[in-house]
Amino acid sequence: MDTCGIFEKFDLQNNLLKEYKYWYLLIRKKQKNIGSCVVILKEHAFPLQQVSPEAMAEYATITREIELSLQKSFDAYLVQHLCLMFVDKHIHFHLLPRYKEVFNFENKEWIDNQSPNPFEQTDIELNQEYLNLIKNKLLENIK
Ligand SMILES: [Zn+2]
């Protein structure tokens, strides 16, 4: 079992969307926009050049699946992929969907601030119940 703490940090147990051969796809506990995700390599590899071509090919598959799901589920306009490792030795990508329109989901209004810099968009803390609704919606649209 991996003991570096990354899977606890992102709460794999509660927030796993889908397990792949090389990666885990999770929704982020803190959502910037609705459907914010993180894709974490299962093994240690650092920096990005250490990730195998097979794992990178699988990342392309994950990209297709989650981007299409975000589009279908919440009408995402595009998805920003950010690889920001500094502390963790697991390569991981933050997937931050962006929106042109205000989106209403389960009595909550989601508004994209339209800044090209996703870090100018506030992290929104949600309870697990609401996170599960987002997760289930995304899963409906992932094959
Ligand atoms: Zn680890």
Side-chain angles (χ1 to χ4, degrees), residues 2-4 6-7 44 90:
D2 196 293
T3 53
C4 69
I6 192 167
F7 296 115
H44 289 192
H90 290 263

Side-chain angles (χ1 to χ4, degrees), residues 25-74:
L25 170 62
L26 287 74
I27 56 162
R28 286 172 107 240
K29 282 191 284 189
K30 293 176 182 172
Q31 299 272 296
K32 285 190 180 292
N33 277 314
I34 189 165
S36 303
C37 291
V38 61
V39 183
I40 309 171
L41 189 69
K42 287 181 178 177
E43 56 174 26
H44 289 192
F46 187 88
L48 189 57
Q49 43 145 319
Q50 296 295 324
V51 179
S52 71
E54 293 77 18
M56 290 309 288
E58 190 180 57
Y59 189 79
T61 304
I62 300 169
T63 296
R64 195 160 50 243
E65 289 187 13
I66 189 64
E67 286 193 352
L68 286 173
S69 178
L70 284 162
Q71 220 170 58
K72 277 191 207 163
S73 304
F74 308 124

Side-chain angles (χ1 to χ4, degrees), residues 72-128:
K72 277 191 207 163
S73 304
F74 308 124
D75 199 22
Y77 167 66
L78 64 78
V79 181
Q80 294 175 311
H81 296 239
L82 295 99
C83 190
L84 301 170
M85 68 285 181
F86 195 73
V87 182
D88 304 301
K89 300 303 179 221
H90 290 263
I91 293 295
H92 60 283
F93 289 88
H94 294 270
L95 272 50
L96 305 173
R98 305 304 307 267
Y99 296 85
K100 287 226 161 150
E101 309 289 339
V102 173
F103 191 81
N104 240 292
F105 183 69
E106 301 287 340
N107 303 315
K108 183 173 167 48
E109 204 164 67
W110 290 85
I111 304 165
D112 191 304
N113 68 359
Q114 305 300 318
S115 161
N117 178 354
F119 291 100
E120 289 175 11
Q121 183 90 26
T122 320
D123 276 325
I124 298 167
E125 302 259 11
L126 298 155
N127 60 32
Q128 192 63 45

